[in-house]
Amino acid sequence: MTTKLKMARYDTFSRMLHWVVAVGIIYAMIVGYALHFISHPTVFEFFSVLNMSLATVVTVLMVVRFVWRFFRPSVPYGGNIVGYKKGIVVLLHEIFYLIIFVVLISGFLMLEKGYDFFGVIHIPQPLENADVNAFFFLVHRYSCIALGGMLVLHVLAVAKHQLLEKNSILSRML
């Protein structure tokens, strides 16, 4: 009788933060790009405010997630991710976090005016300078492209480990 080795999992709070942030980021990216194709002012305003509101929530959750990782127990990567491979994985995760924060912060700083958080609380724009806002718009645009690339790489890496190498890495986050 053989027993399958079960991979260690992240704690429930870490897994919940991971998936809520992932869904929020994917949604915000889709809607953010879709806004370029919405010409009706009311529809554009609705989705724009919804996107900014959700991004604000994701920003708070990302800060919590970033801080929480220093307090949660470490979860080993498994036997096939060792040495320099582990270093690459750690570096890529750090870059992923950095890009996410750049996207979220530049998205806020690019705004030419404040917005109403879920239509209720006014969030003012701290930088009312058109040139600075335009700069952060470019930072946001290019960091969104980088985030999309990192997201694709992340999913491909998980698929490679899960499907090709038969390493149940996905179970760490489920």
Side-chain angles (χ1 to χ4, degrees), residues 5 11 18-19 22 35 38-39 45 52 56 59 62 74-75 84 87-88 92 96 102 112 145 151 161 174:
L5 183 62
D11 60 278
H18 174 272
W19 290 108
L35 284 172
I38 298 174
S39 58
E45 182 69 18
M52 290 182 280
T56 301
T59 301
M62 270 304 295
S74 180
V75 178
Y84 77 92
I88 291 171
L92 289 174
F96 208 176
V102 170
E112 296 172 0
I145 293 167
L151 181 62
H161 286 284
L174 293 178

Side-chain angles (χ1 to χ4, degrees), residues 3 6 18 24 53 70-71 97 106 111-112 117 138-139 142 171:
T3 59
K6 190 172 181 178
H18 174 272
S53 298
F70 296 107
F71 295 98
Y97 271 80
S106 65
L111 299 177
E112 296 172 0
F117 180 72
L138 289 175
V139 170
Y142 292 119
S171 65

